[in-house]
Amino acid sequence: MDDNDLTNALEHAGLSPYQADALVALVDVGAASAAEIADRSGVPAPRIYDVLRDLEEKGYVEVYEQGSLHARVRDPSSVTEDLESRASRFSRAAETIEERWAEPTMDDYAVSVVHRFETVLDRAATEIEGATNQVQLCANESQFEALAPHLRAARDRGAFVKLCYTDESVDATAPPTDRFEETCTEVRFRTLPSPFVAIVDRRTVCFAPHERSVNEYGIIVDERTHAYVFHTFFKSSLWNEWETIHSERRDDLPRTYVDVRACVRDLEALLADGATVRATVVGESVETGEPVELSGEVVETTYQTGPTAEGLPRRSLLGGVVNLVIDDGEQRHTAGGWGAVLEDVEALRVIVTDVEYSA
C-alpha cells in the first residue's frame, strides 16, 4: 500500500487529512521535530503543532520538548488495534446489512418479502423442524432433499406431512415411494412447473415462485388468515387433482384426520349406512382460542357448498360449510376445519376411534 492509499485509509478511520499525512510521515522516521514532520508530510508549519497534539490526544503519538517540539510514534499496536477494531465493525456492519436485506425482521409484519430463495428455504427448515400438527409442502427433488432431515424430525414428533413432489422434466416418472417412508404421511406427484410452498401448523408460510420465474424473491407469512389463502391454493392447485404415490393411511382404527373436509366425506357415508361413529376432536375454542378436546358420538355431518357449474364435481370445491356434530354425553358441539367461525371448535385433528353397525 503506497502513502496515498495509507493516508486515505487513515482518513476513513477518522483522521483529518493533515493528521493522516503527519502520522504516516512520523511512522517512517519513528521520531522527529515538528519542523521535520511538517517538511516530510506537507502539513503547513503553523498547523503542525495542533495536528501533533490532536494525534497525541487520540493516543497515536507522544509529544515532548527537546530544544523544540518533537514527537514520536507510540507503540504501533495502539494504532493497529484501533484500525483492526474499526475494520471489524465495518465488516460486522456489512454482514448485518446483508442479513437484513435478505431477511427483514418479522417482528412488525405478518407478511415479508425477501430477496433470496435460500432465505425462504432456511426459514422453511426452521419451521418444519418445530412443526407439531401438520406440514403441507410443494417441493422438487433438490428442495425435498434439503428439507428431508427436518421433515423426519416433524414426523417423529407426530406431525402429518403432505408433500406435493414436483418434476417438470419431459420424461418425469414418479420416484420410488420407499424414500418417503420416514418423512411423509402422504405424497402426490405433480408434473408441471410449480412454486415452492411450505405451510406449517396453519400459521407460517414460506413461498417462492417456480424456478422459471424471471425475478427471484420469496414471501414469508406468519399469520393464520394470510396462511389460509396459501392453504386454499395448495389444496386446489397443487394437491387435489394429482396422483397419490405414497400414503400411510390405513382402514383400521383409530384413524386420524387433519383435514375436516376429508373426515366429513368419509363419516357421512358411514352415518348414511347406519353406523355409530365415535371420535375424539382435538382443537381450539373458536370463541377463546384455548385448547379443546372432545370425545363422543358423531351424530351429524354437514358438507354444504355453493352452486356449482354444470359438470363440476361438488365435492371438489373448497368453499362452504363443512363440520361435524359430536355428542359428549352431556351436550352437542360443532367442530369445523381451518378458519372455523360458525362452529364451537376449530378441529386440528379428528381421531375416529370406533365404528359399529347395528344388527
Side-chain angles (χ1 to χ4, degrees):
M1 178 180 287
D2 61 23
D3 286 356
N4 286 335
D5 289 337
L6 182 54
T7 54
N8 287 335
L10 292 172
E11 288 175 29
H12 285 297
L15 299 186
S16 71
Y18 284 164
Q19 291 169 355
D21 289 336
L23 182 58
V24 170
L26 193 53
V27 167
D28 288 339
V29 297
S33 67
E36 291 173 327
I37 297 170
D39 289 340
R40 281 180 165 273
S41 65
V43 176
R47 294 292 310 277
I48 193 63
Y49 299 99
D50 291 336
V51 169
L52 292 175
R53 289 191 174 91
D54 289 341
L55 288 172
E56 184 178 40
E57 288 182 5
K58 292 178 179 293
Y60 291 165
V61 306
E62 179 184 357
V63 175
Y64 59 98
E65 293 288 340
Q66 188 174 320
S68 62
L69 189 70
H70 282 63
R72 59 171 167 253
V73 178
R74 291 184 182 274
D75 182 350
S77 62
S78 63
V79 179
T80 58
E81 287 174 3
D82 182 51
L83 293 175
E84 289 170 354
S85 175
R86 290 174 183 270
S88 178
R89 288 200 297 273
F90 284 134
S91 177
R92 291 197 301 272
E95 292 173 358
T96 301
I97 289 172
E98 176 71 16
E99 291 170 358
R100 293 186 179 183
W101 174 82
E103 185 174 10
T105 177
M106 295 290 289
D107 293 342
D108 300 322
Y109 303 98
V111 180
S112 291
V113 177
V114 298
H115 298 276
R116 297 187 302 176
F117 174 70
E118 289 78 5
T119 304
V120 177
L121 193 65
D122 290 345
R123 180 62 181 269
T126 300
E127 296 297 334
I128 291 171
E129 183 84 23
T132 58
N133 185 57
Q134 183 182 18
V135 176
Q136 295 167 286
L137 177 66
C138 180
N140 61 25
E141 171 62 22
S142 63
Q143 295 159 359
F144 169 73
E145 283 297 322
L147 294 175
H150 310 285
L151 295 169
R152 188 175 296 109
R155 289 288 295 119
D156 290 344
R157 199 165 33 256
F160 278 61
V161 177
K162 293 185 176 182
L163 169 65
C164 174
Y165 182 94
T166 66
D167 185 349
E168 60 180 279
S169 59
V170 176
D171 56 349
T173 56
T177 58
D178 56 358
R179 62 188 310 223
F180 303 117
E181 290 178 355
E182 296 182 355
T183 56
C184 300
T185 312
E186 186 174 353
V187 181
R188 297 195 180 186
F189 181 54
R190 174 180 164 91
T191 57
L192 291 177
S194 306
F196 172 84
V197 183
I199 309 170
V200 182
D201 286 345
R202 300 189 177 185
R203 183 175 185 89
T204 304
V205 179
C206 301
F207 171 90
H210 60 77
E211 294 179 343
R212 295 186 185 182
S213 176
V214 175
N215 298 316
E216 181 179 358
Y217 71 94
I219 299 174
I220 297 174
V221 176
D222 191 24
E223 196 268 335
R224 286 171 57 90
T225 302
H226 290 80
Y228 186 78
V229 176
F230 286 90
H231 161 72
T232 302
F233 166 69
F234 180 89
K235 291 283 290 183
S236 61
S237 297
L238 305 178
W239 188 256
N240 282 352
E241 306 304 322
W242 297 93
E243 175 192 3
T244 299
I245 60 173
H246 168 73
S247 177
E248 293 182 357
R249 184 170 296 283
R250 301 291 182 266
D251 292 333
D252 55 336
L253 299 176
R255 185 182 311 142
T256 300
Y257 296 85
V258 290
D259 183 344
V260 167
R261 292 178 182 275
C263 175
V264 169
R265 280 200 300 269
D266 290 350
L267 295 190
E268 71 175 353
L270 294 174
L271 295 177
D273 286 343
T276 299
V277 179
R278 299 190 63 81
T280 296
V281 174
V282 178
E284 299 174 352
S285 167
V286 170
E287 182 177 354
T288 66
E290 295 296 318
V292 173
E293 183 170 324
L294 304 169
S295 293
E297 181 183 347
V298 179
V299 294
E300 185 181 345
T301 62
T302 300
Y303 201 116
Q304 174 188 352
T305 66
T308 61
E310 184 177 356
L312 180 65
R314 181 177 294 274
R315 289 294 187 262
S316 71
L317 299 184
L318 295 174
V321 177
V322 177
N323 59 38
L324 55 86
V325 180
I326 189 165
D327 187 336
D328 65 4
E330 297 182 358
Q331 65 183 76
R332 294 186 173 189
H333 309 268
T334 54
W338 187 346
V341 291
L342 302 177
E343 294 80 9
D344 302 317
V345 178
E346 178 183 335
L348 299 176
R349 296 192 179 194
V350 179
I351 306 161
V352 178
T353 55
D354 187 51
V355 177
E356 293 182 358
Y357 289 92
S358 62

